[in-house]
């Protein structure tokens, strides 16, 4: 009676047991799959092109991983990446006392590069912090060993000294310090005020010196100009005196010539009157002095303005003869006038002596009392 119900109950209870078995297998399979994926993920290590990876297995250093895909032991490996590019480290502002007891503050920038990732991993803990702390202490030491003026004007020297001090310890860490640049060195406010006063005083001193030099140069130029003006004025006056003396000499000679001509004309007139009186007498023999005949010829030449040459075809203009031109200095006038502008540095004493000689009649121009050359002896003329 109860058998069919019992069989039915057992059949109904067996179905859930089958479903539970299937879900457990799936869960286990999923766990295995996840474990496989994680294992593969742990085994694969990708290193960037600019990095190097330090591999440790169970805490033991094994090797450096090169850029690209690397296979490492899963779950027991650790990789430490090192950037091989140039890196910048800011050195915080440091306070220091210079050698001449002046307080200053300074900050800097350090450019470093990892050259050996193995040594950077094994020899130093956090190489960036180590280099930064070392740069701070070195900066304070370098500033304390220099005077204030050197810290403000010799930045290159500070940079070079800091770099030299950092080279030795950083080489042991596999780090190379490529450059050190001090960005700013700032003295205290009291020192800045004193420096501003010093700069202002220096500028005032230079301005006064330049002004004094300008005034002195102006005075020198003015004195030089006055000197040149006096020299030119003196030369002009002396040239004027020379020309005036030359003109006086020429005028004196011409007056002497004129007086001589008038005297000769009077003698000729007197001689002509005498000839007229002699001509009215009955005598046919006349005695004429040679001076009278010579003066008659010269007087006729002066009256006509020319004289007939031997051939009788041309007339010669009446001009001063060579003796008269040399006596009055006609040939020297043009030369004297032409040399006025060229003789800028003429000897003053020589010019005075020349002018004095001309006035006294001892120079090239003859004196006013020069006597003409007399004619020869007497002669007789028969009519």
């Amino acid at each position: 009676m109860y058998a069919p119900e019992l069989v039915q109950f057992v059949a109904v209870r067996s179905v859930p047991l089958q479903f539970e078995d299937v879900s457990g297998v799936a869960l286990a399979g999923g766990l295995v799959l996840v474990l496989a994926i994680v294992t593969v993920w742990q085994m694969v290590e990708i290193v960037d092109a600019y990095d190097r990876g330090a591999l440790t297995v169970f805490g033991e250093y094994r090797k450096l991983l090169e850029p690209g895909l690397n296979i490492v032991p899963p779950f027991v490996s650790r990789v430490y990446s090192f950037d091989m590019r140039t890196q910048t480290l800011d050195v915080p502002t440091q306070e220091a006392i210079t050698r001449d007891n002046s307080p200053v503050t300074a900050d800097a920038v350090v450019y470093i590069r990892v050259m050996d990732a193995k040594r950077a991993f094994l020899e130093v803990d956090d190489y960036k912090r180590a280099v930064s702390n070392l740069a701070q202490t070195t900066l304070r030491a370098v500033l304390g060993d220099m005077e204030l003026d050197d810290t403000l004007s010799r930045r290159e020297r500070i940079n070079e000294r800091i770099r030299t001090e950092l080279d030795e310890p950083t080489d042991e860490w596999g780090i190379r310090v490529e450059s050190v640049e001090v960005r700013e060195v700032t003295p205290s406010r009291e020192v800045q005020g004193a420096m501003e006063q010093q700069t202002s005083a220096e500028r005032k001193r230079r301005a006064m010196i330049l002004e004094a030099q300008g005034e002195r140069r102006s005075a020198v130029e003015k004195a030089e100009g006055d000197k040149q003006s006096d020299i030119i004025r003196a030369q002009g006056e002396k040239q004027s005196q020379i020309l005036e003396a030359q003109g006086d000499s020429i005028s004196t000679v011409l007056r002497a010539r004129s007086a001589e001509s008038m005297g000769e004309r009077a003698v000729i007139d007197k001689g002509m009157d005498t000839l007229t009186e002699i001509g009215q007498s009955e005598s046919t023999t006349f005695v004429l002095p040679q001076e009278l005949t010579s003066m008659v010829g010269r007087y006729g030449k002066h009256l006509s303005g020319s004289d007939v040459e031997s051939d009788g075809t041309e007339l010669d203009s009446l001009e001063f003869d060579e003796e008269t031109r040399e006596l009055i200095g006609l040939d020297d006038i043009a030369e004297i006038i032409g040399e006025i502008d060229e003789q800028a540095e003429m000897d003053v004493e020589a010019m005075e002596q020349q002018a004095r000689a001309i006035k006294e009649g001892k120079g090239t121009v003859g004196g006013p009392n020069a006597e003409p050359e007399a004619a020869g002896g007497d002669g007789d003329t028969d009519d």
Side-chain angles (χ1 to χ4, degrees):
M1 176 175 180
Y2 295 101
E5 293 180 357
L6 180 60
V7 174
Q8 185 178 3
F9 175 76
V10 172
V12 172
R13 293 294 297 174
S14 62
V15 173
L17 292 175
Q18 293 177 357
F19 282 112
E20 289 179 358
D21 294 339
V22 173
S23 61
V25 173
L27 179 60
L31 291 175
V32 171
L33 179 60
V34 170
L35 180 61
I37 294 174
V38 172
T39 302
V40 173
W41 179 261
Q42 290 290 321
M43 291 177 61
V44 176
E45 184 69 26
I46 299 176
V47 180
D48 293 331
Y50 50 83
D51 287 342
R52 295 294 184 275
L55 175 64
T56 60
V57 179
F58 291 107
E60 180 183 1
Y61 174 79
R62 292 296 180 85
K63 64 177 181 178
L64 285 178
L65 300 181
E66 297 296 329
L69 181 64
N70 296 270
I71 304 299
V72 300
F75 305 113
V76 293
S77 301
R78 297 184 64 180
V79 178
Y80 300 88
S81 297
F82 290 89
D83 194 339
M84 306 300 290
R85 297 173 296 180
T86 299
Q87 303 174 55
T88 304
L89 298 180
D90 288 330
V91 179
T93 302
Q94 302 296 312
E95 295 183 359
I97 304 297
T98 61
R99 190 167 58 182
D100 52 353
N101 298 323
S102 297
V104 295
T105 59
D107 59 348
V109 178
V110 181
Y111 298 91
I112 63 174
R113 187 171 185 177
V114 178
M115 303 303 296
D116 189 347
K118 178 180 178 181
R119 297 174 66 182
F121 174 68
L122 297 176
E123 301 295 336
V124 63
D125 177 23
D126 193 357
Y127 67 90
K128 291 184 179 180
R129 182 166 56 87
V131 173
S132 177
N133 291 334
L134 183 60
Q136 295 176 30
T137 57
T138 305
L139 176 60
R140 289 196 298 267
V142 171
L143 292 178
D145 195 33
M146 300 177 65
E147 295 184 355
L148 177 62
D149 293 340
D150 293 338
T151 60
L152 298 176
S153 60
R154 298 185 177 181
R155 299 287 183 87
E156 295 80 5
R157 181 180 177 184
I158 300 175
N159 299 337
E160 186 63 27
R161 288 192 58 183
I162 294 176
R163 180 180 177 182
T164 302
E165 294 292 334
L166 293 178
D167 278 341
E168 184 176 355
T170 55
D171 285 344
E172 297 180 358
W173 302 338
I175 308 298
R176 185 178 69 184
V177 179
E178 294 186 343
S179 178
V180 178
E181 297 293 336
V182 176
R183 289 187 295 192
E184 185 177 5
V185 178
T186 306
S188 62
R189 293 183 179 180
E190 293 78 7
V191 176
Q192 290 182 2
M195 293 175 62
E196 290 177 358
Q197 293 178 1
Q198 180 181 1
T199 303
S200 177
E202 181 67 19
R203 290 179 178 176
K204 290 180 180 179
R205 183 181 68 84
R206 291 181 181 180
M208 294 176 63
I209 292 175
L210 292 177
E211 184 178 0
Q213 290 178 351
E215 292 178 356
R216 181 171 63 86
R217 182 173 298 178
S218 176
V220 170
E221 294 292 338
K222 183 178 180 181
E224 187 68 21
D226 294 341
K227 176 182 176 182
Q228 295 293 336
S229 178
D230 294 340
I231 292 175
I232 294 174
R233 188 183 302 109
Q235 290 177 351
E237 291 177 356
K238 288 176 176 53
Q239 293 290 348
S240 177
Q241 293 176 2
I242 292 174
L243 292 177
E244 183 178 358
Q246 187 74 16
D248 293 341
S249 176
I250 295 173
S251 177
T252 302
V253 172
L254 293 178
R255 285 197 298 268
R257 286 292 188 180
S258 177
E260 181 183 358
S261 298
M262 293 177 64
E264 291 178 352
R265 183 173 180 180
V267 172
I268 292 174
D269 291 340
K270 187 64 176 177
M272 295 301 294
D273 294 339
T274 303
L275 291 176
T276 303
E277 293 177 358
I278 293 175
Q280 292 177 359
S281 65
E282 296 179 356
S283 176
T284 59
T285 301
F286 305 100
V287 179
L288 297 178
Q290 185 176 358
E291 292 81 355
L292 180 58
T293 58
S294 176
M295 286 189 295
V296 169
R298 293 174 59 185
Y299 182 65
K301 181 179 180 180
H302 281 285
L303 290 179
S304 62
S306 62
D307 196 5
V308 179
E309 291 186 350
S310 59
D311 55 3
T313 58
E314 295 182 0
L315 296 177
D316 293 334
S317 300
L318 180 60
E319 297 179 353
F320 291 108
D321 54 9
E322 294 182 359
E323 180 182 359
T324 305
R325 293 180 65 88
E326 182 180 359
L327 182 63
I328 63 178
L330 290 177
D331 297 333
D332 297 333
I333 296 177
E335 296 180 0
I336 294 175
I337 295 176
E339 294 176 357
I340 292 177
D341 296 333
E342 299 178 358
Q343 297 177 352
E345 298 180 357
M346 181 177 293
D347 190 355
V348 178
E349 184 177 357
M351 293 172 59
E352 292 179 354
Q353 292 179 359
Q354 183 180 2
R356 191 181 301 110
I358 293 174
K359 287 185 178 181
E360 294 177 358
K362 298 179 181 180
T364 58
V365 180
N369 298 324
E371 293 295 334
E373 183 178 353
D378 297 337
D380 295 335
T381 303
D382 293 335
D383 190 3

